[in-house]
Amino acid sequence: MKISELYAPTLREVPAEAEVISHILMLRAGMIRKAASGVYTFLPLGYRIIKKVIQIIREEMDKKGGQELMLPIIQPAELWMESGRWHVYGDELFRLKDRHGRDFALGPTHEEIITDLVKGDVRSYKQLPLLLYQIQNKYRDERRPRFGLMRGREFIMKDLYSFDKDKEGLDISYQKMYDAYSRIFTRCGLKFRPVEADPGAIGGSGGTHEFMVVADSGEAAIVYCDTCNYAANVEKAEAVPVPVDTGEAVKEMQEVHTPGARTVEQVTEFLHIGPEKLIKTLIYRTETETVAALVRGDREINEIKLQNLLGSVQLELADEQTVQEITGAATGFAGPAGLQDIRIIADTEVMEMRNAVTGANKTDTHMINVNPGRDFTADLTADIRMVRAGEKCPRCEGALLEARGIEVGQVFKLGTKYSEAMGAKYLDENGKEKLMVMGCYGIGVGRTVAASIEQNHDKDGIIWPMPIAPFHAVVIPVSVKDQKQTELAWQIYNSLNDSGVETVIDDRNERPGVKFKDADLIGFPLRVVVGSKTVEEGVVEVKHRRTGDISTVGVNEAASVIRKIVADELAESMPGA
Ligand code: ATP
Ligand code: MG
């Protein structure tokens, strides 16, 4: 490919809405363009990278026995009603009607379609297990599309669905995908961590891991152990209770006047106590009830844990008026003692507290010496708090560290959630009808590309890992007006392409500085400069983008030296069998 003909319009300035470096660099390097909020066109360079990632995914899926198919993007609403998700999925589902007024959705994920397909064709245990996948556009009307390919409304996903006879079979399929994902992200040159995660809207109860690329720009917070391999999304991370034992005797509960002290800081300052003496009482509303959730004053509530515990679809803090109706007081003065008509959900640590401070359900008033068990009881006691760095690991004696992560993939044990709702059954060895046991496994292709840039760039541009680079090398003749230089450059270019090194030639009549800048921006792993020295001394300059190392190589060796670097780096990226 000649750069003079390549459709890769590089930009000096990017729109202010591009906040993260991957978005900025892909726009600047002429790899993507925005068509609408969260909807992007891939230009040729961008699409080459996408295809490389897809190819790696495809190879690893096939190796595990995955069979590629293609499911429709337009999905009938009936299937979504059958699974119960037509209503649950909410505004994120792109809905449309056909000319007859029938409802459809643009597929945000394909559990419904594939379960319906398989239940129609699979009758016997002999046809299981099945691993079926596709690589295709997905549609989600995200509330906040942003960060370019990272969170789009139209994006490419690989989704695989496993169908097994039983739980044991699912465990095997899940492990296969877990291993394949580890290989895929290794091959893409990413530093990643699989973490335990919350199932969210996809559902299922069998367990799930997210594959997180560690990057400061990541939207997810993760914790991981400094000693063992425990790692989890903070949404899911298990808290180890640390009771505060002051050795105090139990005292009589007493009302105190605390004018204007609503927040933890205000109350602790007013009463000269530490936040660990306080019980925070938060009033939440779900679609069916109002509840009071209790956590210690030095902790934060984990709304995902609370929502899972309650089994609700919605959960939000109650408004001022509801708080007033339930507690008889303004927000900031709620407490569990004497609270009536609503369920009280306490964090495990709360029930261990002694002589605690709570709101008194009376404006400008708190209670001191509140003792759980004596002064109030909880309807449910469970881990409902956030875990923070420095806390003890739930699996070993180690301590937890915190990092930001980009979720590039997720593996789910769905169990029988969809097969039950949609009646996907098979006949077992004894002719008995059983439900298929399912798993689902997604990888965001564009997000993986963006995550790679977040980890691999410098002030000049992108530094592609060899396996996903749009081209392996660029050949730059310093002066295209010099016929001898041009001739030698073409010679090396042809020789590289002939031997399978994907190479472009920068044949533009531009200053060398401009060409070097573009080469660095686009991020070709290797740059070969053909200049006057090439003509006079028979040597070219080879620059390695990642290390910055420059070496001088004889014209006749150049192609084989580069071929070897490319082959070595591709081989190195391959994890062991
Ligand atoms: P998130 O929590 O980031 O919204 P998700 O958990 O809803 O993602 P999944 O349903 O697990 O996403 O989808 C599988 C994969 O698809 C994700 O791991 C991610 O890589 C990718 N993905 C999901 N949503 C988007 C999006 N809006 N834009 C780009 N990629 C996405
Ligand atoms: Mg996910």
Side-chain angles (χ1 to χ4, degrees):
M1 185 79 223
K2 292 186 210 169
I3 295 238
S4 64
E5 291 174 2
L6 179 68
Y7 182 38
T10 54
L11 297 177
R12 296 278 161 259
E13 301 279 324
V14 290
E17 67 177 31
E19 298 168 69
V20 293
I21 195 70
S22 54
H23 190 191
I24 293 170
L25 290 176
M26 290 195 91
L27 287 170
R28 280 190 51 205
M31 293 173 175
I32 58 167
R33 287 290 180 264
K34 183 170 109 172
S37 169
V39 181
Y40 287 86
T41 298
F42 294 102
L43 275 55
L45 279 180
Y47 198 47
R48 283 183 74 95
I49 301 151
I50 292 285
K51 284 190 288 184
K52 293 239 171 136
V53 172
I54 286 179
Q55 185 53 27
I56 290 172
I57 294 174
R58 186 172 277 141
E59 284 172 19
E60 297 298 334
M61 290 295 107
D62 291 350
K63 244 185 246 167
K64 295 294 182 191
Q67 302 181 55
E68 189 168 1
L69 46 57
M70 185 66 99
L71 300 162
I73 289 172
I74 299 184
Q75 309 185 359
E78 290 76 47
L79 293 181
W80 285 77
M81 290 176 181
E82 228 180 296
S83 73
R85 284 206 292 185
W86 182 254
H87 298 292
V88 177
Y89 219 96
D91 289 340
E92 223 174 83
L93 193 64
F94 268 108
R95 296 160 206 260
L96 66 157
K97 284 188 195 298
D98 71 5
R99 64 171 72 206
H100 307 292
R102 291 189 201 110
D103 286 312
F104 290 85
L106 298 182
T109 172
H110 280 72
E111 284 80 11
E112 282 77 1
I113 281 273
I114 199 149
T115 306
D116 187 59
L117 175 84
V118 169
K119 89 172 184 200
D121 291 319
V122 173
R123 293 264 165 270
S124 156
Y125 71 94
K126 290 181 195 150
Q127 293 164 282
L128 298 174
L130 268 180
L131 301 175
L132 302 173
Y133 77 99
Q134 61 169 350
I135 300 168
Q136 192 204 51
N137 281 355
K138 292 278 183 278
Y139 296 84
R140 293 183 186 179
D141 198 356
E142 296 273 357
R143 180 148 41 129
R144 243 191 115 191
R146 57 179 184 160
F147 301 162
L149 300 187
M150 211 81 95
R151 184 168 296 285
R153 295 196 296 167
E154 173 180 277
F155 58 96
I156 307 169
M157 195 202 285
K158 182 287 300 179
D159 44 329
L160 183 141
Y161 305 86
S162 65
F163 295 85
D164 277 283
K165 290 187 286 188
D166 47 29
K167 224 189 121 289
E168 290 67 40
L170 170 60
D171 288 344
I172 295 169
S173 296
Y174 188 85
Q175 191 60 43
K176 280 186 184 170
M177 286 301 115
Y178 187 99
D179 295 343
Y181 276 36
S182 300
R183 289 181 58 89
I184 288 165
F185 297 123
T186 303
R187 286 183 63 184
C188 289
L190 290 163
K191 290 185 270 304
F192 66 95
R193 214 177 249 286
V195 305
E196 293 179 14
D198 177 75
I202 302 249
S205 51
T208 171
H209 287 86
E210 288 166 340
F211 283 75
M212 292 286 188
V213 165
V214 184
D216 290 339
S217 59
E219 290 181 284
I222 61 175
V223 289
Y224 58 97
C225 179
D226 65 2
T227 308
C228 73
N229 61 9
Y230 179 76
N233 191 314
V234 292
E235 292 179 345
K236 161 85 181 180
E238 294 160 42
V240 177
V242 188
V244 182
D245 184 7
T246 55
E248 280 175 45
V250 169
K251 298 181 197 156
E252 273 315 298
M253 185 165 77
Q254 203 184 320
E255 208 177 278
V256 289
H257 191 49
T258 53
R262 296 160 186 273
T263 64
V264 171
E265 287 90 72
Q266 290 163 344
V267 175
T268 52
E269 193 173 308
F270 190 88
L271 296 175
H272 306 291
I273 52 166
E276 73 291 342
K277 283 293 281 181
L278 201 79
I279 297 174
K280 269 196 278 196
T281 305
L282 299 148
I283 311 292
Y284 280 95
R285 282 200 64 88
T286 74
E287 67 277 16
T288 55
E289 63 176 331
T290 305
V291 299
L294 313 180
V295 288
R296 218 164 63 192
D298 58 338
R299 305 297 196 192
E300 293 302 321
I301 192 141
N302 181 324
E303 294 185 350
I304 297 199
K305 287 182 183 173
L306 178 61
Q307 187 170 351
N308 287 342
L309 188 68
L310 298 171
S312 70
V313 177
Q314 279 162 22
L315 181 80
E316 56 184 27
L317 276 171
D319 57 24
E320 183 78 46
Q321 195 191 336
T322 310
V323 171
Q324 183 78 45
E325 278 164 24
I326 297 278
T327 68
T331 301
F333 300 98
L339 202 57
Q340 279 173 9
D341 303 329
I342 64 170
R343 289 206 288 168
I344 294 176
I345 320 294
D347 181 65
T348 317
E349 284 178 342
V350 167
M351 298 314 282
E352 304 292 320
M353 291 169 74
R354 193 174 293 176
N355 300 329
V357 173
T358 73
N361 300 319
K362 195 163 153 190
T363 302
D364 292 339
T365 314
H366 278 78
M367 300 297 256
I368 59 169
N369 303 328
V370 176
N371 285 279
R374 182 191 72 180
D375 301 321
F376 72 89
T377 53
D379 295 278
L380 280 173
T381 302
D383 168 14
I384 55 166
R385 71 173 179 88
M386 296 294 283
V387 172
R388 284 281 162 243
E391 289 198 47
K392 192 178 156 298
C393 170
R395 299 280 182 277
C396 77
E397 291 307 309
L400 295 177
L401 302 170
E402 231 174 84
R404 309 286 313 169
I406 301 167
E407 181 204 319
V408 285
Q410 184 157 18
V411 290
F412 269 96
K413 287 186 187 174
L414 291 170
T416 54
K417 175 172 166 157
Y418 294 91
S419 43
E420 193 167 347
M422 303 183 69
K425 296 172 188 158
Y426 70 97
L427 295 177
D428 74 2
E429 289 87 336
N430 307 312
K432 225 179 114 202
E433 202 166 62
K434 292 230 171 98
L435 289 171
M436 294 180 207
V437 182
M438 293 172 56
C440 72
Y441 317 84
I443 293 181
V445 177
R447 196 183 280 184
T448 299
V449 170
S452 171
I453 299 174
E454 294 293 326
Q455 277 189 347
N456 300 286
H457 67 269
D458 62 13
K459 64 177 192 346
D460 299 318
I462 305 171
I463 306 175
W464 292 110
M466 196 62 83
I468 62 171
F471 287 92
H472 301 134
V474 56
V475 176
I476 302 181
V478 171
S479 163
V480 291
K481 294 205 181 110
D482 183 316
Q483 209 190 334
K484 194 71 196 149
Q485 277 186 31
T486 303
E487 225 167 80
L488 287 168
W490 275 101
Q491 202 177 303
I492 294 169
Y493 166 82
N494 285 326
S495 161
L496 284 172
N497 274 314
D498 289 347
S499 64
V501 177
E502 299 164 20
T503 310
V504 289
I505 185 162
D506 198 342
D507 59 332
R508 294 174 300 170
N509 185 17
E510 288 280 4
R511 282 179 293 116
V514 171
K515 297 187 190 185
F516 294 167
K517 263 204 157 60
D518 281 349
D520 280 350
L521 173 62
I522 293 168
F524 303 111
L526 294 162
R527 186 184 84 185
V528 188
V529 179
V530 179
S532 51
K533 265 194 173 172
T534 316
V535 178
E536 286 151 24
E537 298 168 33
V539 292
V540 297
E541 183 196 281
V542 177
K543 183 177 172 198
H544 193 268
R545 175 77 179 85
R546 183 176 298 276
T547 61
D549 291 348
I550 296 179
S551 51
T552 307
V553 180
V555 168
N556 297 326
E557 286 87 56
S560 65
V561 165
I562 287 163
R563 201 178 308 135
K564 181 160 173 2
I565 298 175
V566 173
D568 285 351
E569 289 193 13
L570 289 176
E572 265 166 40
S573 71
M574 273 289 187

